[in-house]
């Protein structure tokens, strides 16, 4: 089989090496040498265009991450590699968000430009990944061992790829035509001991008519306990604020209204809990610090298999297929549930009642039984395709038809939430059975069998006043009582993407300036998904968050066309001037149709200088969960604007709801909040909206790429971008609803808000979804890539990539258009991210260094009722968009340093040793816990990580 145009193949290989800016920090990849026997299909997939051309260098703002670059870093997952791009935003569902729940926890997601992970399209060999019901695409299903390169298009591309390609496109290209075998082993650990390991094996064979490549990979990452890091072990504000965030709902038990001066009483350690005189006022040190047993980072285990094959049926037709299987297991752990009297009073007739004759109020964290969740996701992916070429006159046309099936099956196993009927029975009447010598449920006249089978009429009594670590009847340390109260819960889910495509591309005719290229194609896709929480949680019969079934599906049909039109060539001030236009029509079964267009100009005034500009329309279709998700509960973190020191304190709208200006926001256990935002003590409700329509976006980019002939190996690029999203699907937040209601004057936003008339705390709120948001961001990407001349001491490469965000403005919910919030400088939306990489190679030795820079951050301060900051506040005069004083805390910049050294060994092997975060740098304490459930930004390194790698080629 002979596929033509080696010139095209060589041009593409060169563009992949030198095109645009490479990934932060490890030097320029060198294309592998090809032989005359190497074959390639004329139709080469270039991310950002469907038209094959020889002249593709730098036409699109594409970052190319080569396999060599991946190997020169110490990261073991696709997401970790991409997260270090300077254009990447705050991680979606960071592994530091220990309290996150739902089907997406444990996945790896990428968020370009901070526009949301659902607005970055992920492709695998040019075809979509499967999505969860919430529209997230898990990069964790792609084994690193199978990757040849990763293309990151930082431009809107809905006109070519359809929904979700608003912020950009990540196209992961796997290894094909691999011949031989390769094995890799990787092991690393933090200074504190938590380790990561991975092992992979790739084998491939190639014949005159086809090829087959197989990659298998196993990886495991230990969980990291929050108690093992200084920034997370002490509470929610770091070691300088002892006991901050510690919960009154303590593992020591609290008798509310008991026999102590404060009425919040805990047992004298080792004494008789039935004697009311054995209680004292609970002290701060006796409260619970949930961080002691929470995971700062979830544990992760993954097994992957990826097979790629081609077979030349004829000289003009090739069969292609990919088969992928991935099993991912994620382990979460948070502190035992903060139980309280709201789930059942301690009966007046309980043997454990210290004041018999009346039901007793209680708090008791179920410390002995941490809440754990194991999420197991199985992904099966199959693609089948035919591709080929034919000639019309002197012009070649390429075609392909393809089928994709991507199925995700989820099983979640939860433990640590009490079954409410069993808990209420355990708190009910109980007595001392003289015959058995133990306390049992019921009464002597009406006993209940002692045992763990609640449905079988058995019961074991519980004493919420007996502290953790003290033995006795009713102790939660009793394994049988744990079995009785805490069953295992099982959630299941399944999503499936089915896609049929057909594409045709080639040359229409030739103009004086060159060939007019054209591509067009059609696509039919079906998305369906279902997530079913455990029946107990659906019924609200556990201490876990109530949730309902999410289920739905939709179909769509699409057609696109792309034209590439050369206008001028080889004339003064126009070595090339060309126009590329594209349009895509999408017809959805759920919300209707949409058409999105793109216009791109490229101009080369002189050799070595390219000017490019794009205007693109884009959209994001609502996900299954957006449309058909059931309502659910959430213990939200929020700021109450009516609290003292906040913008609405004492204003007419707050006082109308009975909230005095001196009100202090109350959090867990009814304790005054010490950080902001603060977690509610009662669950709020969230839900979907079947009336949602697609988000609409406009992207504008303009840039220059300069490769001066007199400095060989140097490429300098500068790109400007601006993205505007309208009708954004906004997941309401409690803070936004309350601010719009009490400060912004949007009365409709107050409808779902309820407050306790005595404590004034917000006890109820509904946060739904609407197409009422807007986002606009603007900024610049700057890159310098230089492969220096080879010196006697070796070959040096320099790669410097910087992203500058000049604005990131968002209007959420139904706030007036004038109330636009600027987010530049908030954690994740850094004003500047910059990576500097320096590489050195000489003979069999190489060294690669990278510095990762993040500019400073800002966050809201926490103030008391008198308006005095209770946390560091160095911008006390800041005025927010409501015209109210809203002090800010500013932190300094942060830089992390990575280093890796490698040596090629005589037996065709390579050994490497490296360290990420060489100086063991830690970021600042962040009281707002951004992308995290701890006082630390969830996108930062959590310590020094040392690793070794070994690669053996056969």
């Amino acid at each position: 089989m002979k596929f033509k145009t080696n010139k095209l193949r060589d041009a593409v290989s060169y563009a992949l090496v030198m095109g645009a800016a490479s990934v932060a920090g490890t030097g320029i990849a060198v294309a592998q040498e090809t032989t005359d026997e190497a074959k390639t299909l004329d139709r080469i997939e270039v991310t950002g265009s469907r038209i094959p051309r020889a002249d593709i260098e730098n036409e699109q703002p594409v970052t190319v991450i080569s396999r060599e670059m991946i190997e020169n870093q110490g990261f073991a997952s696709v997401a970790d590699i991409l997260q270090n791009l300077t254009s990447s935003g705050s991680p979606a569902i960071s592994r530091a968000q220990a309290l996150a729940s739902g089907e997406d926890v444990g996945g790896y997601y990428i968020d370009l430009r901070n526009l949301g992970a659902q607005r970055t399209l992920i492709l695998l060999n040019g075809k979509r990944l499967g999505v969860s019901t919430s529209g997230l695409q898990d990069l964790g299903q792609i084994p690193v061992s199978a990757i040849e390169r990763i293309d990151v298009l930082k431009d809107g591309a809905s006109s070519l790829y359809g929904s979700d390609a608003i912020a950009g496109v990540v196209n992961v290209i796997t290894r094909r035509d691999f011949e031989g075998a390769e094995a890799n082993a990787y092991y690393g650990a933090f200074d504190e001991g938590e380790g990561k390991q991975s092992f992979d094996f790739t084998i491939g064979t190639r014949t005159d008519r086809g090829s087959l490549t197989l990659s298998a990979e196993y990886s495991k990452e230990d969980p990291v306990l929050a108690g093992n890091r200084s920034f997370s072990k002490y509470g929610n504000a770091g070691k300088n604020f002892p006991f901050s965030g510690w919960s009154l709902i303590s593992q020591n038990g609290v008798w509310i209204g008991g026999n102590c001066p404060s009425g919040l009483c805990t047992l004298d350690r080792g004494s008789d809990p039935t004697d009311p005189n054995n209680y004292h006022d609970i002290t701060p040190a006796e409260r619970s610090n949930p961080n002691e047993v929470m995971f700062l980072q979830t544990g992760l285990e993954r097994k992957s298999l990826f097979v790629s094959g081609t077979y030349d049926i004829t000289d003009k037709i090739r069969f292609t297929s990919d088969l992928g299987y991935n099993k991912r297991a994620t382990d979460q752990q948070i502190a035992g549930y903060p139980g309280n009297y709201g789930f059942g009073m301690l009966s007046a007739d309980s043997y454990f009642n210290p004041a018999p004759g009346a039901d007793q109020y209680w708090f008791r964290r179920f410390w002995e039984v941490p809440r754990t969740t194991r999420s197991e996701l199985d992904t099966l992916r199959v693609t089948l395709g035919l591709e080929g070429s034919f000639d019309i006159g002197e012009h070649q046309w390429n075609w392909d038809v393809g089928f994709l099936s991507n199925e995700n099956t989820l099983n979640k196993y939860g433990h640590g939430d009490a079954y409410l009927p069993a808990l209420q029975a355990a708190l009910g009447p109980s007595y001392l059975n003289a015959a058995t010598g133990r306390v049992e449920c019921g009464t002597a006249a009406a006993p209940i069998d002692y045992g763990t089978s609640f449905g079988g009429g058995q019961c074991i009594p519980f004493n919420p006043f007996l502290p953790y670590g003290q033995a006795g009847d009713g102790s939660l340390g009793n394994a049988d009582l744990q079995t009785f109260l805490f069953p295992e819960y099982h959630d299941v889910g399944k999503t499936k993407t089915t896609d049929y495509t057909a594409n045709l591309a080639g040359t229409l005719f030739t103009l004086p300036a060159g060939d007019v290229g054209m591509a067009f194609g059609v696509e039919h896709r079906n998305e369906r998904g279902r997530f079913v929480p455990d029946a107990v949680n659906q019924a609200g019969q556990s201490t876990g968050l109530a949730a309902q079934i999410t289920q739905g599906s939709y179909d769509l049909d699409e057609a696109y066309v792309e034209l590439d039109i050369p206008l001028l060539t080889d004339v003064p001030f126009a070595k090339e001037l060309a126009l590329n236009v594209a349009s895509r029509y999408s017809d959805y079964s759920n919300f209707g149709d949409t058409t999105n267009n793109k216009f791109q100009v490229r101009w080369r005034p002189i050799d070595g200088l390219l000017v490019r500009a794009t205007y693109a329309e884009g959209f994001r279709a609502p996900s299954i969960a957006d449309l058909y998700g059931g309502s659910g509960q959430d213990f939200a973190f929020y700021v109450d604007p009516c609290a003292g020191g906040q913008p609405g304190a004492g204003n007419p709208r707050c006082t109308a709801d009975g909230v005095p200006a001196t009100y202090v926001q109350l959090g867990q256990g009814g304790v005054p909040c010490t950080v902001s935002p603060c977690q509610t003590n009662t669950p709020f409700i969230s839900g979907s909206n079947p009336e949602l329509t697609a988000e609409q976006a406009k992207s504008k980019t303009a840039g220059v790429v300069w490769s001066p002939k007199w400095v060989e190996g140097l490429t300098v690029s500068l790109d400007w971008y601006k993205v505007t999203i309208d009708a954004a699907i906004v997941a309401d937040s409690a803070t936004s609803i309350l601010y719009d209601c009490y400060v912004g004057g949007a009365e409709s936003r107050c409808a779902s808000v309820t407050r306790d008339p005595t404590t004034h705390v917000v006890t109820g709120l509904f946060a739904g979804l609407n197409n009422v948001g807007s986002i606009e961001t603007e900024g610049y990407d700057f890159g310098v890539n230089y492969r220096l001349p080879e010196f006697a001491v070796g070959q040096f490469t320099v790669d410097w990539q910087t992203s500058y965000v000049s604005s990131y403005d968002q209007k959420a919910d139904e706030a007036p258009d004038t109330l636009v919030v600027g987010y530049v400088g908030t954690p994740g939306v850094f004003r500047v991210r910059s990576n500097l990489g320096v590489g050195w190679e000489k003979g069999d030795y190489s060294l690669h260094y990278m510095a990762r820079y993040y500019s400073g951050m800002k966050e809201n301060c926490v103030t008391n009722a008198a308006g005095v900051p209770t946390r560091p506040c160095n911008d006390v005069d800041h005025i927010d968009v409501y015209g109210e004083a809203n002090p800010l805390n500013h932190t300094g910049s942060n830089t992390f340093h990575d280093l890796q050294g490698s040596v090629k060994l005589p037996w065709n092997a390579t050994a490497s040793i490296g360290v990420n975060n060489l100086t063991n740098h830690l970021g600042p304490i962040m009281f707002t816990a951004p992308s995290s459930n701890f006082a630390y930004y969830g996108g930062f390194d959590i310590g020094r990580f040392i690793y070794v790698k070994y690669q053996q080629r056969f």
Side-chain angles (χ1 to χ4, degrees):
M1 178 177 183
K2 294 183 179 179
F3 290 102
K4 300 184 296 184
T5 64
N6 283 339
K7 177 183 177 182
L8 178 60
R9 179 197 65 210
D10 295 340
V12 171
S13 298
Y14 179 74
L16 294 178
V17 175
M18 301 299 294
S22 65
V23 71
T26 53
I28 304 172
V30 179
Q32 293 181 345
E33 293 182 1
T34 58
T35 69
D36 292 337
E37 296 177 356
K39 297 178 181 179
T40 184
L41 188 64
D42 277 338
R43 186 183 186 281
I44 297 177
E45 190 69 34
V46 179
T47 304
S49 177
R50 300 278 192 175
I51 300 172
R53 296 185 302 277
D55 250 356
I56 63 171
E57 181 188 352
N58 297 323
E59 288 183 4
Q60 309 278 350
V62 176
T63 294
V64 179
I65 308 172
S66 71
R67 178 153 196 86
E68 182 182 3
M69 295 174 183
I70 295 171
E71 292 175 348
N72 288 337
Q73 299 182 61
F75 304 110
S77 73
V78 178
D80 287 340
I81 294 165
L82 292 172
Q83 194 60 47
N84 280 293
L85 290 170
T86 59
S87 56
S88 292
S90 185
I93 313 184
S94 156
R95 291 177 63 198
Q97 290 174 296
L99 297 176
S101 61
E103 64 178 304
D104 296 309
V105 173
Y108 280 133
Y109 313 105
I110 187 66
D111 176 3
L112 295 179
R113 306 289 191 208
N114 269 295
L115 293 174
Q118 293 98 328
R119 299 185 183 105
T120 297
L121 177 63
I122 310 298
L123 304 176
L124 179 57
N125 292 326
K127 299 183 183 298
R128 288 174 173 264
L129 278 189
V131 297
S132 67
T133 62
S134 58
L136 289 174
Q137 305 152 90
D138 181 10
L139 286 160
Q141 63 184 271
I142 305 173
V144 176
S145 59
I147 297 174
E148 179 65 30
R149 73 176 197 272
I150 304 173
D151 294 350
V152 182
L153 173 65
K154 296 175 290 186
D155 200 355
S158 287
S159 60
L160 291 177
Y161 300 112
S163 177
D164 310 333
I166 291 177
V169 177
V170 175
N171 189 9
V172 180
I173 310 298
T174 60
R175 303 164 91 171
R176 289 183 182 269
D177 295 333
F178 179 83
E179 193 163 26
E182 177 183 287
N184 293 275
Y186 170 99
Y187 180 79
F190 291 102
D191 286 357
E192 293 79 4
E194 305 93 354
K196 300 180 183 180
Q197 56 186 302
S198 68
F199 307 93
D200 65 72
F201 183 75
T202 300
I203 187 170
T205 184
R206 188 172 60 193
T207 69
D208 289 342
R209 298 198 67 85
S211 65
L212 185 66
T213 304
L214 180 149
S215 293
E217 184 172 299
Y218 171 81
S219 64
K220 183 178 182 180
E221 301 184 31
D222 296 336
V224 177
L225 275 169
N228 285 350
R229 296 297 187 276
S230 62
F231 56 82
S232 56
K233 69 183 294 184
Y234 297 101
N236 64 3
K239 64 181 180 181
N240 293 329
F241 296 88
F243 311 125
S244 178
W246 288 34
S247 175
L248 180 64
I249 305 178
S250 167
Q251 66 266 35
N252 294 301
V254 176
W255 178 17
I256 305 174
N259 189 27
C260 66
S262 70
L264 298 174
C265 315
T266 194
L267 184 68
D268 297 336
R269 178 68 62 168
S271 64
D272 179 5
T274 62
D275 185 342
N277 297 314
N278 290 340
Y279 289 80
H280 64 271
D281 292 329
I282 188 170
T283 65
E286 290 175 307
R287 296 184 178 186
S288 71
N289 176 13
N291 292 18
E292 291 181 17
V293 294
M294 291 175 70
F295 283 173
L296 170 64
Q297 281 195 352
T298 54
L300 182 66
E301 185 176 25
R302 187 167 53 80
K303 304 170 185 176
S304 300
L305 179 69
F306 194 86
V307 182
S308 178
T310 66
Y311 181 73
D312 298 343
I313 299 174
T314 72
D315 286 350
K316 292 290 187 178
I317 300 175
R318 172 177 291 173
F319 170 76
T320 66
S321 180
D322 292 337
L323 172 65
Y325 174 75
N326 182 76
K327 184 177 184 66
R328 182 250 293 163
T330 306
D331 292 307
Q332 295 173 270
Q333 178 174 298
I334 58 178
Y337 192 86
N340 62 78
Y341 61 86
F343 299 118
M345 303 277 280
L346 181 65
S347 172
D349 298 318
S350 171
Y351 176 83
F352 306 124
N353 194 326
D359 293 345
Q360 299 301 320
Y361 293 87
W362 60 277
F363 286 150
R364 176 43 157 96
R365 186 177 285 276
F366 305 144
W367 194 259
E368 293 84 345
V369 189
R371 284 169 286 171
T372 61
T373 304
R374 183 172 179 84
S375 302
E376 297 181 352
L377 182 71
D378 289 87
T379 299
L380 179 62
R381 179 182 178 87
V382 178
T383 67
L384 303 172
L386 292 173
E387 56 188 36
S389 65
F390 59 88
D391 296 330
I392 299 179
E394 296 182 354
H395 301 305
Q396 182 180 3
W397 287 77
N398 302 293
W399 60 270
D400 69 80
V401 293
F403 164 78
L404 160 68
S405 174
N406 197 109
E407 184 171 286
N408 295 324
T409 302
L410 175 69
N411 287 280
K412 294 176 71 72
Y413 305 92
H415 186 255
D417 279 303
Y419 180 48
L420 292 183
L423 178 62
Q424 290 157 3
L427 293 166
S430 59
Y431 71 105
L432 179 62
N433 187 329
T436 62
R438 67 189 176 205
V439 178
E440 298 180 4
C441 295
T443 65
I448 299 174
D449 289 343
Y450 186 93
T452 60
S453 176
F454 176 79
Q458 295 180 336
C459 177
I460 299 178
F462 169 48
N463 183 359
F465 301 140
L466 196 65
Y468 169 73
Q470 181 170 332
D473 284 316
S475 168
L476 200 54
N478 179 354
D480 287 339
L481 178 57
Q482 293 179 16
T483 301
F484 178 66
L485 293 180
F486 302 100
E488 183 175 85
Y489 303 99
H490 184 203
D491 304 338
V492 296
K494 179 171 284 191
T495 60
K496 186 172 183 179
T497 298
T498 306
D499 199 13
Y500 301 88
T501 58
N503 301 283
L504 180 64
T507 300
L508 281 176
F509 49 83
T510 301
L511 294 175
D515 293 340
V516 176
M518 178 181 182
F520 63 91
V522 293
E523 181 173 357
H524 172 79
R525 180 159 52 95
N526 174 267
E527 299 281 1
R528 60 181 61 250
R530 176 179 171 87
F531 180 67
V532 183
D534 191 279
V536 172
N537 290 328
Q538 290 185 50
Q541 290 294 298
S542 82
T543 55
L545 298 174
Q548 301 301 313
I549 295 174
T550 293
Q551 178 175 300
S553 65
Y554 60 86
D555 295 276
L556 62 141
D557 295 298
E558 297 182 294
Y560 77 90
V561 62
E562 179 188 7
L563 289 172
D564 192 77
I565 307 168
L567 303 177
L568 296 172
T569 185
D570 291 329
V571 299
F573 305 108
K575 299 296 292 183
E576 180 192 17
L577 179 62
L579 174 67
N580 183 280
V581 296
S583 182
R584 190 179 188 96
Y585 172 78
S586 306
D587 186 9
Y588 280 73
S589 62
N590 48 8
F591 71 83
D593 58 3
T594 179
T595 300
N596 294 271
N597 306 304
K598 184 192 79 168
F599 304 90
Q600 181 187 54
V601 174
R602 62 182 184 275
W603 172 43
R604 301 180 195 271
I606 58 174
D607 287 333
L609 179 64
L610 169 69
V611 181
R612 59 194 181 196
T614 302
Y615 170 83
E617 299 169 335
F619 75 104
R620 181 177 82 87
S623 69
I624 289 171
D626 290 339
L627 296 165
Y628 313 118
S631 61
Q633 291 182 315
D634 176 45
F635 284 97
F637 287 81
Y638 74 101
V639 177
D640 190 338
C642 292
Q646 295 298 332
N651 76 11
R653 187 63 186 83
C654 291
T655 56
D657 275 7
V659 186
T662 56
Y663 166 65
V664 177
Q665 184 177 344
L666 304 179
Q668 291 281 300
V671 176
C673 295
T674 57
V675 296
S676 181
C678 182
Q679 190 176 24
T680 175
N681 194 41
T682 57
F684 296 158
I685 306 297
S686 60
S688 58
N689 181 354
E691 302 301 320
L692 292 173
T693 187
E695 301 178 338
Q696 301 297 324
K698 291 180 174 61
S699 301
K700 302 172 185 176
T701 66
V704 295
V705 182
W706 184 40
S707 302
K709 287 186 174 182
W710 58 89
V711 185
E712 186 177 354
L714 174 65
T715 299
V716 181
S717 63
L718 176 64
D719 286 284
W720 165 83
Y721 67 88
K722 184 175 183 179
V723 182
T724 303
I725 302 173
D726 293 315
I729 298 173
V730 174
D732 258 351
S733 71
T735 298
S736 295
I737 292 172
L738 294 172
Y739 265 68
D740 291 346
C741 167
Y742 291 105
V743 180
E747 193 64 28
S748 63
R749 304 283 280 159
C750 306
S752 70
V753 179
T754 58
R755 289 183 181 270
D756 185 288
T758 303
T759 65
H760 314 299
V761 70
V762 178
T763 55
L765 180 149
F766 176 80
L769 299 173
N770 291 288
N771 287 104
V772 293
S774 66
I775 303 171
E776 183 173 284
T777 184
E778 183 177 9
Y780 301 86
D781 292 326
F782 175 71
V784 177
N785 202 312
Y786 186 28
R787 187 177 183 86
L788 281 72
E790 189 166 358
F791 302 106
V793 295
Q795 177 78 63
F796 289 91
T797 56
V798 177
D799 186 11
W800 179 30
Q801 306 298 322
T802 300
S803 291
Y804 177 88
V805 181
S806 55
S807 65
Y808 187 102
D809 300 324
Q810 184 170 342
K811 182 183 83 69
D813 314 318
E814 297 175 357
D817 289 340
T818 55
L819 298 182
V820 176
V821 179
Y823 285 90
V824 174
T826 57
V829 190
F830 297 96
R831 175 74 72 183
V832 177
R833 278 193 64 178
S834 185
N835 294 335
L836 174 64
V838 179
W840 168 83
E841 293 182 6
K842 182 173 177 59
D844 293 332
Y845 299 93
S846 64
L847 194 65
H848 293 87
Y849 162 81
M850 177 163 61
R852 297 175 277 127
Y853 170 85
Y854 302 78
S855 60
M857 298 175 282
K858 61 185 180 183
E859 63 177 350
N860 291 331
C861 296
V862 180
T863 56
N864 62 21
V868 178
T870 58
R871 293 290 181 271
C873 228
N874 47 30
D875 185 2
V876 296
D877 297 324
H878 176 257
I879 304 298
D880 67 15
V881 295
Y882 298 99
E884 304 286 346
N886 188 13
L888 296 177
N889 178 44
H890 292 266
T891 69
S893 62
N894 293 270
T895 304
F896 301 90
H897 304 271
D898 306 330
L899 187 65
Q900 177 182 292
S902 301
V903 57
K904 296 178 181 177
L905 302 172
W907 50 90
N908 205 19
T910 301
S912 305
I913 183 169
V915 55
N916 293 339
N917 192 9
L918 178 66
T919 61
N920 198 26
H921 175 76
L922 292 177
I925 292 294
M926 300 296 294
F927 304 106
T928 52
S931 298
S932 173
N933 292 122
F934 307 95
Y936 192 75
Y937 171 53
F940 278 170
D941 295 37
I942 62 171
R944 179 165 45 221
F945 184 81
I946 302 173
Y947 62 90
V948 293
K949 297 193 295 183
Y950 180 81
Q951 181 183 81
Q952 180 66 60
R953 293 173 294 276
F954 304 94

